[in-house]
Amino acid sequence: MDSRFLRAAGRAVGALVAMTVVGAGLAACDGPMHRPPPMELTVTSTDTTQAVRGEQAHFLITVINPTSHEVRDVEFLQSGDWENTEYRAATCSAQGGATCPDLGPTTWTTPSMPAGSSLTFDVAVTVKFTSAPVFENVFGVYSVHRFGGVSATGHGTVVADARSGDYRMYSSEGTLTAATLDFMAGTFAADGVQQTFTGIGLPNLSGGGVFDAPPDLLMGSFDAGSGTKPFVAARRFVETVAALDGRGFSVFSRELVSGQWQTSVHSASVAAGVLTICADAVPYAAASCPAASQHHHWLSVAGGVFTAVDLEHGETLTFQVAMSQSALIFLRAGSDAGFTGLQVGVLVNDGPTDNGAFGVGSDGSWGWLNLLDGEYSVDWTTPGGGSWSDSATLAPVTGADRGLRQGQRSSDGAMLLLSVNAPLGVVVGAPGSVASGEMQLFEPSIDYYAQLR
């Protein structure tokens, strides 16, 4: 039982003892001592049956005075399941002349509940990332002028988190790994390594975090033993060639060449079962890519894995296209001979006008990112726990597909290339820039960003 209930019981007993002592002193002159009347207030509490890990659950509690007389100095004690929940806030509404108490961090007390009055409390708790599927919230009512007390228990049930499940994880270091995320147990496992997470909102892991881009895509960073690396993980994939017809992607590449990481952006489009990639280092629009730079790949697909064959250039590559609601994400990592790295493609669009986001970088940094139509800014936390900020003024890239932007980073003058289409955004260093080799992945979500700040 919560310690506050014990204290309240002690106070009630203490009050009773005090009244007994006073009564004993007055008994000879004033007649026999009378025991305090019993508690007559009633209390009810609703259940919450759709609680979600990391989100708030609400208990609606009603205290009624059904009698024909006033009850004074009423105490309300809130006793949650603090191992599985965390108290967040409460509101109160009064009827029939009752006065709402001060809902501070200590015991709540109201001086009077007149006959027929009532108080209704909405108590919000946050459900922790624990494996317990149920939790309780006990609400007690006491008064020093009444004998005993009453209480009501609200029961909470956690529903299965839709984000839990098995994913295919594409790392910026070129690895392709099966991953499992369990929000009920608070675990994330990949590459033979399991980590646990706790917290509200974004579940933080050592050196980084798992960040969800709902409903079927994860973006974040993970340390499987060789340092924190960004990743994109998905579990729903396009399974037909026809589903890609007429689609265009801005494909951001991070590739290990002669022991050095290099980044670039290429346009890609699909028409009539053929994937055309502009291989030129200049980020041309798909429609204006020089003929000599166009690599045409015939597509086939099996089990959600596309095979693209370019007989003219002797190229064969495999990739997947992840699905998240109506968005499509092109994903390729370390699965082809001669290629080590990550390719992430977002659908061509007109670009964002206002986005808050959370992002991770290939150097292990992670933190907040703001992306406006003409400005990019970041506040990063380094793997060592330090922090730094940076910014760049953005402009469309002449001759490139819509949505591609570039800017010069204020800290070192490095040129950045970026594009975003919900639920994913990508930033890379422009070829030849001091930032070449860098990649940032981020989730563009204004509401989520505002909630977590």
Side-chain angles (χ1 to χ4, degrees):
M1 180 177 293
D2 188 273
S3 60
R4 286 180 291 177
F5 277 89
L6 297 175
R7 291 197 299 272
R11 285 197 298 272
V13 172
L16 178 59
V17 170
M19 294 178 70
T20 301
V21 171
V22 173
L26 298 176
C29 301
D30 298 275
M33 180 195 71
H34 295 285
R35 184 180 186 179
M39 171 62 69
E40 297 172 293
L41 302 182
T42 63
V43 57
T44 58
S45 179
T46 60
D47 290 341
T48 176
T49 59
Q50 298 293 316
V52 177
R53 302 285 178 213
E55 297 183 7
Q56 289 188 7
H58 290 261
F59 293 98
L60 194 65
I61 298 150
T62 302
V63 181
I64 300 175
N65 181 2
T67 71
S68 58
H69 54 78
E70 176 190 46
V71 177
R72 293 179 291 115
D73 299 326
V74 183
E75 288 188 347
F76 310 98
L77 296 179
Q78 169 70 18
S79 177
D81 181 355
W82 306 132
E83 290 186 1
N84 299 306
T85 64
E86 177 182 346
Y87 172 75
R88 302 301 297 173
T91 60
C92 172
S93 59
Q95 296 81 32
T99 302
C100 280
D102 178 12
L103 302 178
T106 57
T107 303
W108 305 337
T109 303
T110 187
S112 171
M113 287 195 68
S117 68
S118 66
L119 293 172
T120 301
F121 300 89
D122 184 345
V123 177
V125 298
T126 300
V127 184
K128 295 181 181 178
F129 289 96
T130 63
S131 58
V134 295
F135 54 93
E136 292 184 342
N137 186 78
V138 183
F139 196 88
V141 183
Y142 303 88
S143 170
V144 296
H145 303 294
R146 296 277 152 177
F147 176 73
V150 292
S151 64
T153 301
H155 300 87
T157 305
V158 180
V159 298
D161 197 299
R163 295 168 294 184
S164 298
D166 295 329
Y167 289 80
R168 193 172 173 87
M169 188 169 83
Y170 289 78
S171 168
S172 67
E173 302 302 285
T175 58
L176 190 54
T177 307
T180 301
L181 177 67
D182 188 341
F183 266 79
M184 296 292 284
T187 60
F188 182 77
D191 202 22
V193 177
Q194 177 171 292
Q195 295 188 24
T196 60
F197 58 79
T198 59
I200 306 305
L202 297 180
N204 291 332
L205 300 171
S206 60
V210 174
F211 315 113
D212 69 312
D216 296 303
L217 197 72
L218 300 174
M219 184 282 301
S221 59
F222 183 72
D223 186 355
S226 59
T228 303
K229 305 293 189 299
F231 68 82
V232 179
R235 60 178 172 180
R236 278 203 311 134
F237 300 95
V238 173
E239 296 189 348
T240 66
V241 173
L244 298 184
D245 194 54
R247 302 282 192 165
F249 295 90
S250 293
V251 178
F252 294 78
S253 297
R254 185 172 191 256
E255 185 174 3
L256 190 62
V257 179
S258 300
Q260 298 292 323
W261 288 104
Q262 298 179 6
T263 50
S264 57
V265 183
H266 305 273
S267 60
S269 60
V270 178
V274 176
L275 169 68
T276 299
I277 297 178
C278 188
D280 203 299
V282 177
Y284 287 106
S288 59
C289 181
S293 298
Q294 295 180 16
H295 290 204
H296 304 287
H297 301 76
W298 292 96
L299 292 176
S300 62
V301 61
V305 179
F306 285 85
T307 299
V309 179
D310 178 2
L311 294 177
E312 180 182 356
H313 299 92
E315 296 175 349
T316 299
L317 58 91
T318 59
F319 63 91
Q320 291 188 282
V321 178
M323 302 172 64
S324 179
Q325 294 184 334
S326 61
L328 299 181
I329 307 294
F330 180 100
L331 293 171
R332 177 187 177 209
S335 55
D336 311 318
F339 176 78
T340 300
L342 173 67
Q343 288 187 331
V344 179
V346 296
L347 286 171
V348 172
N349 71 335
D350 290 328
T353 56
D354 189 1
N355 276 285
F358 208 94
V360 293
S362 52
D363 64 350
S365 298
W366 55 286
W368 301 115
L369 181 148
N370 277 319
L371 181 63
L372 304 178
D373 208 22
E375 187 73 19
Y376 151 96
S377 60
V378 292
D379 293 297
W380 290 116
T381 297
T382 67
S387 61
W388 60 279
S389 301
D390 219 332
S391 63
T393 299
L394 305 176
V397 180
T398 303
D401 280 324
R402 301 188 317 274
L404 190 65
R405 283 163 167 72
Q406 66 181 0
Q408 188 172 14
R409 193 161 59 189
S410 60
S411 62
D412 56 10
M415 291 300 298
L416 305 176
L417 293 164
L418 62 93
S419 185
V420 58
N421 196 349
L424 187 68
V426 190
V427 178
V428 298
S433 160
V434 296
S436 181
E438 295 183 18
M439 175 178 275
Q440 300 166 16
L441 306 175
F442 61 91
E443 174 201 340
S445 171
I446 299 172
D447 293 338
Y448 203 34
Y449 173 73
Q451 171 190 341
L452 294 170
R453 286 190 73 181

